[in-house]
Amino acid sequence: MKIAIASGKGGTGKTTLATNLAIVGAARADSVAYLDCDVEEPNGHLFLNPTIQQRTPVHLPIPKVLAEKCDHCGKCAQACMFNALVWLGKKEPLVFPELCHGCGACTLACPNDAIVEEPREIGVVESGMSGDLRFVRGLMNVGEAKSPPVIRAVREAAPDVTWQILDAPPGTSCPVVAAVRHCDYALLVTEPTPFGLHDLKLAVVAIRQIGLPFAVVINRADPNDDRVERYCAAENIPVLLSIPDDRRVAEAYSRGELMVDAVPELRAALSALWERIEKEVTRSATVGE
């Protein structure tokens, strides 16, 4: 089972939920892996303190024009929808590696085999263990602009386990789609604020477009503010857990500690959440059939 933990905006507690849920799940399930797909700024390791056992570079195939074979037809530049190649008329095309998505269209379009692909390192995937929990994270190189290739590398490096907990990037753009696509279920983490609700609505639209079954977890829940609950009720979205606004959680976070260790009663709450996820995934699979 692949469970994505996502959010419409940063700072809602997505990584807090993902890391703690993974730890609780590892104590319940046969095997669990935590995948940190927030490759631009991964921070799950701060709470899980894994022992890294393997580091694998992530490469993107970048075109190189062979001047001796190029007849300056410009078909490679015409085929590139990302403008990574520019046709210069009677000179060989100019390549912009930072814009290239490594799709290979230019190589296929060239009638003279004048383009070869060379690997360009854009990040790294690290794998290890945190107790009984498998740990995988991606990290983009400084200055890189495209995270989906690194996210896909993280997912490909996932070990063969019963459960995967994917800590997705915040927002609703391409990196989020790369992280949550082909998952079995998604938890959208939000907070009872105007910004939290606004961006939750955007995330709901995105997840529904993908066609992924999902539910909501409210972090820093305020008993005097039910705006998120009312929205979810109106949209028929299940709210599986409300985490109270507890100073002990914030203090544990600032120290890089798990909230289930700082607030023991939350361990039982997350264990119950795990059970509800199992039921929701089973129900969604049955409806899908």
Side-chain angles (χ1 to χ4, degrees):
M1 294 296 179
K2 301 178 180 67
I3 310 301
I5 313 297
S7 63
K9 64 181 288 291
T12 60
K14 173 177 55 63
T15 295
T16 299
L17 177 65
T19 53
N20 283 270
L21 184 63
I23 286 292
V24 169
R28 293 176 51 91
D30 294 332
S31 55
V32 179
Y34 167 83
L35 278 57
D36 197 339
C37 295
D38 190 1
V39 299
E40 294 185 61
E41 45 184 349
N43 60 355
H45 63 285
L46 299 176
F47 306 96
L48 297 175
N49 297 309
T51 299
I52 301 301
Q53 301 167 333
Q54 183 176 358
R55 300 182 80 254
T56 306
V58 179
H59 295 97
L60 197 65
I62 303 298
K64 177 183 178 181
V65 180
L66 303 177
E68 65 274 13
K69 290 187 176 183
C70 180
D71 65 359
H72 317 128
C73 67
K75 291 182 179 179
C76 57
Q78 295 169 8
C80 182
M81 63 183 299
F82 304 108
N83 297 317
L85 292 95
V86 176
W87 183 38
L88 301 176
K90 296 183 178 181
K91 295 183 179 180
E92 58 268 17
L94 184 63
V95 178
F96 292 93
E98 295 80 8
L99 298 178
C100 180
H101 284 60
C103 67
C106 57
T107 305
L108 295 174
C110 180
N112 302 313
D113 295 326
I115 296 180
V116 295
E117 293 179 329
E118 296 184 333
R120 173 170 172 265
E121 185 174 332
I122 61 173
V124 65
V125 172
E126 297 179 337
S127 304
M129 295 292 296
S130 175
D132 295 328
L133 177 68
R134 277 79 164 177
F135 177 92
V136 183
R137 78 160 184 168
L139 182 62
M140 288 176 60
N141 289 347
V142 175
E144 294 296 335
K146 297 181 296 296
S147 61
V150 182
I151 294 172
R152 288 193 290 269
V154 171
R155 299 196 60 173
E156 291 170 1
D160 184 14
V161 293
T162 307
W163 290 83
Q164 294 179 15
I165 305 297
L166 291 86
D167 190 349
T172 56
S173 58
C174 294
V176 178
V177 175
V180 306
R181 181 181 289 172
H182 306 307
C183 284
D184 298 294
Y185 201 74
L187 289 177
L188 299 181
V189 185
T190 189
E191 56 189 6
T193 65
F195 289 118
L197 179 56
H198 175 272
D199 291 344
L200 171 63
K201 293 178 180 179
L202 298 179
V204 167
V205 172
I207 294 297
R208 282 176 170 167
Q209 288 280 346
I210 296 172
L212 186 65
F214 68 97
V216 165
V217 171
I218 304 174
N219 189 31
R220 294 188 288 270
D222 183 352
N224 299 315
D225 190 336
D226 64 346
R227 72 184 80 196
V228 174
E229 288 93 338
R230 285 187 282 109
Y231 165 74
C232 291
E235 292 290 325
N236 196 29
I237 301 171
V239 177
L240 299 189
L241 177 66
S242 292
I243 301 174
D245 187 9
D246 192 322
R247 182 182 177 89
R248 292 174 296 171
V249 175
E251 291 177 348
Y253 182 92
S254 68
R255 295 190 298 265
E257 299 174 357
L258 294 168
M259 67 177 181
V260 292
D261 294 331
V263 187
E265 57 266 30
L266 288 179
R267 185 177 292 272
L270 288 184
S271 183
L273 173 63
W274 190 277
E275 294 178 359
R276 293 199 64 181
I277 293 172
E278 288 183 303
K279 292 179 181 178
E280 288 291 324
V281 171
T282 302
R283 183 184 65 82
S284 298
T286 302
V287 172
E289 293 174 355

